[in-house]
Amino acid sequence: MLKLATATMRMLFFLVFVGWLFAWVMLPTKLYKNTWTPKLKTELNSTYFREQGTNLLLFTFPIMFIAAFGGFYVYYQKISEKSSSESAKKSSRLAFLKRPVLVMAPMGIVSMMELIFALMFVVLLIWSLANYLYVSFGSLHMHKAGEKVWEAKFRSVSLRLGYIGNTCWAFLFFPVTRGSSILPLVGLTSECSIKYHIWLGHLSNVLFFAHSVGFFIYWAMTNQMVEALEWSRTYLSNVAGVIAFVVSLVMWVLSFPHYRRKMYEIFYYSHHLYIIYLIFYMLHVGVAYLCLILPGIFLFLIDRYLRYLQSRDNAMLISARLLPCDTIELNFCKSPGLDYKPTSIMSVNVPSISKLQWHPFTITSNSNLEPNTLSIVIKTEGRWSQKLYRELSSPLDHLDISVEGPYGPTSSHFLRREALVMISGGSGITPFISIIREVIYQSTQQSRIPKLTLVCAFNNSSHLSMLNLLLPLSANSVDTSKIQLQIEAYITQENENTGEESQNLLQTICFKPNPSATPITAVLGPNSWLWLSAIITSSFIMFLLLLAFVTRYYIYPFDHYSDPIVYHYSYRILWDMFLVCVCVLVCSSAFFVLQKKHNAKEGKQIQSSEMSNPTSPGGSYINDEGIELESLPHQSIVEATQVHLGARPDLKSILFGCKESDVGVLVCGPRKMRHEVAKICSSGLAKNLQFESISFNW
């Protein structure tokens, strides 16, 4: 029954989504403008919504419907029982669509499915531009006496390029909505789909740049440069568009790889200009076009505000491990009801280092194997992580840390493979720690688990200490006898074993209980997807009701009984923005407070348990004694490891040497390594290799 219900919902979502796309396809056509628009206005443009009625129904409502009920679907899909054989068959049928077909800069690694959808989107943009120009050229009107036809066409082309940019913006915010209820419907996470945000961002900036420069050229040719400073009372604001254009240029330039990778802080802070950009962008496009891009912005605001509410609390940090390879493992106390999948991430903020900077890290712990703790691993590569390492190296009783998340996949389909080959470079090993721990847990629940091969490349032998993180702190209670694990470790910059790694010590720090800190919990509790659906539904209905009330009883009488053009055009969009923000804040806060009461009771129980057990992590003292790496439990990890000095992994021979019929290949590390693995899997020489994308770092 449950399976039938989820299948019905999935089909309904598909039909609604196809209808939404059909509306986008028809929007620029002559049929839509001359035939459909008058009929739709007659039927839908009531005194409650005025000119927004049509676009609210055709372009806003479908996505909000999918987002609202998508939460229910994801929730019931997680609890529905699916046979592994059916999942494996489905995965094998779609395997060719996930195989990389394009591996090159700047696109990165592109699968067949991604390429198909990218081409479809480009076709939509070309179709829209061609139809917009066909309609506009057929009914050209001159804005100025003596204006030439080619000048009018040039203006029309510049204007329509802005329309196409709006199409990109309709999709821009979905990939960066971390707690999205839409991305799981298509099997994506915000980390995997962040490249779509980058693609759309670059494409929209190119289009808006051409749109803005085109108008500057047109104004200069027709001696109308004063138009750039016009803030019209009856139409869209040109000066708001100019301000948005300038802000977008700053954000765009500083988002290029040179700044994003080498000067991350500059990129990070400049990207927050999106708030200013959004305000002036919406003032420029007006209420009718806002409805086209509203779903993405609405859902992003809900997600962003919930993340803000979660980040206000201090997370309960119980211990830290400092490895000799300048790597940190942070161990937090978490609620037993907090469930997450392997390769999930969590964003971390340390106020003593920076109150504004948030950095995402892969969660290495397993929610089933370690029900009360959550761990992340941080490699000290940048200034922020170096400051954190120095702070932990000095004596301290506790460290204030705020977190957002966890966020991650709703399923781990790659664990159904016959074998998994995980290839990492440096700190890229961290996602595979969570996968190995999940396989260890699965080995206690079922007999069929994948064979594991971990290929890791390090610069020097001190980094071998990261292999000790493969097992949790409670390693003595872990049974690894049932898993088949082979570790191939390559030390690229050392030709002989100096023995230094065996002499290095692992420093473990246990922090005193902090009464102001709370265990990490899901922002909306164990039933987050249901609560998220409730927030989306209630906030959107509240927005529609308030918008109808304001339009009918304030804006409309003002226009209708006085002068049809009296009410300021920009005030309408300000009302929309204000109402969206109010509805999101009120509904999200209400549901968050309700859930927080439950979390607070659970947190007090966990805190009292921690304080009554001083020998556990989170006890009342700091342990500065070094622990020899070789003394860590389970020598099976050491026995499974083969170290290759002064060599790099021969990835072709390793992958082609896999004889299993269904091999999942995962890679996390430097770009060159990722691209090489993707090319091997896409070569077609070994059909049993299935490339799995787990990271947005492309």
Side-chain angles (χ1 to χ4, degrees):
M1 190 68 179
L2 188 58
K3 186 180 294 186
L4 177 62
T6 55
T8 303
M9 291 178 68
R10 187 164 58 246
M11 178 58 66
L12 179 61
F13 294 153
F14 176 76
L15 293 176
V16 172
F17 182 70
V18 169
W20 182 70
L21 289 180
F22 180 72
W24 277 102
V25 171
M26 297 304 298
L27 178 64
T29 62
K30 192 173 183 178
L31 175 64
Y32 184 90
K33 180 179 180 180
N34 296 337
T35 305
W36 290 13
T37 298
K39 293 181 180 179
L40 290 171
K41 283 185 176 180
T42 302
E43 297 293 332
L44 302 176
N45 284 16
S46 66
T47 55
Y48 290 97
F49 295 107
R50 302 291 295 277
E51 67 271 25
Q52 301 179 75
T54 300
N55 287 348
L56 278 172
L57 179 64
L58 296 183
F59 297 98
T60 303
F61 178 77
I63 297 300
M64 297 304 296
F65 173 83
I66 294 174
F69 287 93
F72 288 96
Y73 173 81
V74 174
Y75 174 78
Y76 288 111
Q77 186 187 42
K78 288 177 65 176
I79 63 175
S80 64
E81 296 181 358
K82 295 184 177 181
S83 65
S84 59
S85 59
E86 290 180 355
S87 301
K89 290 179 181 178
K90 183 179 179 181
S91 177
S92 62
R93 288 198 300 266
L94 300 177
F96 76 98
L97 291 176
K98 298 180 180 180
R99 191 180 294 272
V101 294
L102 181 64
V103 184
M104 60 180 293
M107 298 293 288
I109 303 170
V110 182
S111 68
M112 175 67 75
M113 185 177 295
E114 291 172 335
L115 185 61
I116 291 173
F117 279 100
L119 291 175
M120 290 172 61
F121 187 75
V122 171
V123 169
L124 173 63
L125 297 184
I126 296 173
W127 161 268
S128 300
L129 181 59
N131 278 275
Y132 276 131
L133 294 180
Y134 171 73
V135 174
S136 64
F137 286 178
S139 57
L140 275 178
H141 58 280
M142 307 304 173
H143 283 194
K144 182 181 179 182
E147 183 179 8
K148 299 176 182 178
V149 174
W150 73 267
E151 291 175 337
K153 289 185 175 181
F154 184 85
R155 169 178 44 81
S156 182
V157 171
S158 300
L159 178 62
R160 271 62 191 184
L161 287 172
Y163 290 178
I164 305 304
N166 290 334
T167 305
C168 296
W169 264 71
F171 297 85
L172 185 66
F173 283 91
F174 293 119
V176 290
T177 305
R178 295 182 183 174
S180 173
S181 57
I182 290 182
L183 292 179
L185 295 178
V186 291
L188 293 173
T189 65
S190 61
E191 292 71 50
C192 292
S193 59
I194 194 69
K195 62 181 177 183
Y196 310 141
H197 174 76
I198 296 175
W199 292 352
L200 289 168
H202 285 306
L203 183 56
S204 64
N205 275 301
V206 168
L207 292 168
F208 287 142
F209 181 84
H211 164 74
S212 303
V213 172
F215 265 97
F216 279 120
I217 294 174
Y218 167 75
W219 289 329
M221 291 188 305
T222 56
N223 298 318
Q224 301 182 74
M225 284 301 294
V226 69
E227 291 287 329
L229 302 177
E230 181 187 17
W231 198 303
S232 174
R233 184 181 183 85
T234 61
Y235 195 51
L236 58 83
S237 168
N238 289 337
V239 69
V242 172
I243 295 172
F245 171 61
V246 173
V247 174
S248 70
L249 278 182
V250 176
M251 294 174 58
W252 188 23
V253 170
L254 295 178
S255 67
F256 279 91
H258 175 76
Y259 296 99
R260 192 174 72 244
R261 292 173 182 156
K262 297 184 178 180
M263 290 175 276
Y264 178 78
E265 292 182 18
I266 295 177
F267 158 74
Y268 179 81
Y269 291 123
S270 66
H271 226 59
H272 283 78
L273 292 172
Y274 77 87
I275 300 173
I276 298 174
Y277 178 74
L278 265 178
I279 294 172
F280 286 99
Y281 168 78
M282 290 187 285
L283 284 169
H284 179 62
V285 300
V287 291
Y289 275 96
L290 171 64
C291 298
L292 275 64
I293 63 174
L294 182 60
I297 296 175
F298 204 111
L299 298 175
F300 174 77
L301 287 177
I302 292 176
D303 175 70
R304 189 66 192 87
Y305 184 60
L306 288 175
R307 284 158 50 195
Y308 165 74
L309 292 176
Q310 184 187 27
S311 66
R312 294 175 63 194
D313 296 329
N314 284 330
M316 186 183 293
L317 181 64
I318 54 178
S319 67
R321 291 201 284 179
L322 305 183
L323 277 65
C325 57
D326 294 334
T327 299
I328 308 165
E329 182 189 51
L330 298 180
N331 301 291
F332 298 88
C333 181
K334 83 169 186 71
S335 165
L338 176 61
D339 180 60
Y340 50 86
K341 299 295 182 181
T343 72
S344 294
I345 68 160
M346 184 174 71
S347 293
V348 173
N349 170 263
V350 183
S352 59
I353 298 176
S354 173
K355 294 182 179 180
L356 299 177
Q357 286 190 48
W358 289 82
H359 294 266
F361 298 100
T362 305
I363 297 175
T364 55
S365 54
N366 180 269
S367 59
N368 296 308
L369 203 61
E370 304 152 88
N372 299 313
T373 58
L374 184 150
S375 305
I376 60 173
V377 172
I378 303 171
K379 176 66 176 175
T380 56
E381 295 176 329
R383 286 184 294 178
W384 184 89
S385 56
Q386 290 171 357
K387 290 179 182 178
L388 177 61
Y389 192 91
R390 288 196 297 268
E391 191 158 344
L392 289 171
S393 299
S394 60
L396 72 166
D397 292 335
H398 67 272
L399 182 66
D400 290 336
I401 292 184
S402 299
V403 302
E404 290 179 359
Y407 306 103
T410 55
S411 65
S412 303
H413 63 278
F414 52 81
L415 292 175
R416 304 188 188 103
R417 304 287 185 192
E418 187 178 350
L420 286 180
V421 178
M422 301 167 287
I423 302 171
S424 69
S427 59
I429 193 176
T430 52
F432 304 138
I433 296 175
S434 63
I435 293 175
I436 291 175
R437 293 189 186 186
E438 175 65 19
V439 173
I440 293 174
Y441 169 76
Q442 292 294 340
S443 68
T444 64
Q445 305 296 313
Q446 57 188 28
S447 58
R448 188 177 182 274
I449 56 173
K451 175 185 176 182
L452 301 177
T453 301
L454 174 62
V455 180
C456 45
F458 301 117
N459 290 334
N460 53 67
S461 55
S462 67
H463 288 80
L464 288 172
S465 58
M466 295 190 71
L467 297 179
N468 292 280
L469 301 178
L470 295 178
L471 297 177
L473 285 172
S474 56
N476 288 320
S477 61
V478 174
D479 181 15
T480 61
S481 60
K482 296 181 180 179
I483 68 169
Q484 301 180 62
L485 174 62
Q486 178 184 356
I487 303 174
E488 301 289 338
Y490 292 82
I491 310 300
T492 60
Q493 297 182 8
E494 291 183 5
N495 294 320
E496 58 181 11
N497 191 347
T498 61
E500 293 181 0
E501 68 276 7
S502 62
Q503 300 172 6
N504 290 327
L505 300 178
L506 173 68
Q507 184 180 4
T508 301
I509 305 169
C510 296
F511 297 100
K512 293 180 180 179
N514 183 3
S516 64
T518 58
I520 298 176
T521 59
V523 62
L524 294 174
N527 299 326
S528 291
W529 292 112
L530 296 180
W531 288 109
L532 180 61
S533 293
I535 291 174
I536 294 172
T537 303
S538 59
S539 58
F540 184 61
I541 292 176
M542 182 180 177
F543 167 72
L544 292 178
L545 293 175
L546 290 178
L547 179 63
F549 179 84
V550 169
T551 303
R552 176 65 182 85
Y553 296 104
Y554 180 69
I555 298 177
Y556 179 71
F558 194 87
D559 283 354
H560 187 68
Y561 294 113
S562 178
D563 187 338
I565 60 173
V566 165
Y567 200 80
H568 202 295
Y569 188 87
S570 296
Y571 292 171
R572 302 174 189 270
I573 192 67
L574 290 175
W575 269 113
D576 280 42
M577 288 190 286
F578 173 73
L579 293 177
V580 166
C581 293
V582 167
C583 296
V584 168
L585 266 61
V586 169
C587 294
S588 299
S589 298
F591 284 100
F592 177 80
V593 169
L594 288 175
Q595 187 58 42
K596 191 173 183 179
K597 292 180 180 179
H598 172 75
N599 292 341
K601 293 180 182 178
E602 192 176 50
K604 288 181 180 179
Q605 296 175 355
I606 297 174
Q607 279 182 316
S608 60
S609 174
E610 291 291 340
M611 296 180 71
S612 63
N613 186 13
T615 59
S616 67
S620 58
Y621 58 87
I622 300 177
N623 176 18
D624 287 322
E625 296 180 2
I627 301 177
E628 292 186 9
L629 297 180
E630 296 298 325
S631 68
L632 289 174
H634 286 295
Q635 294 298 322
S636 58
I637 294 294
V638 178
E639 294 171 358
T641 304
Q642 184 174 355
V643 180
H644 307 267
L645 295 171
R648 296 182 182 275
D650 186 350
L651 298 177
K652 280 189 177 181
S653 62
I654 292 173
L655 293 175
F656 289 160
C658 298
K659 303 303 181 184
E660 292 80 9
S661 59
D662 185 19
V663 180
V665 181
L666 304 96
V667 58
C668 186
R671 175 186 293 185
K672 184 178 180 181
M673 172 183 282
R674 298 194 306 272
H675 286 193
E676 183 180 354
V677 172
K679 288 178 181 178
I680 294 172
C681 294
S682 62
S683 64
L685 299 177
K687 294 184 178 181
N688 62 331
L689 301 179
Q690 309 299 334
F691 185 82
E692 299 283 354
S693 176
I694 62 168
S695 175
F696 64 79
N697 187 13
W698 51 281

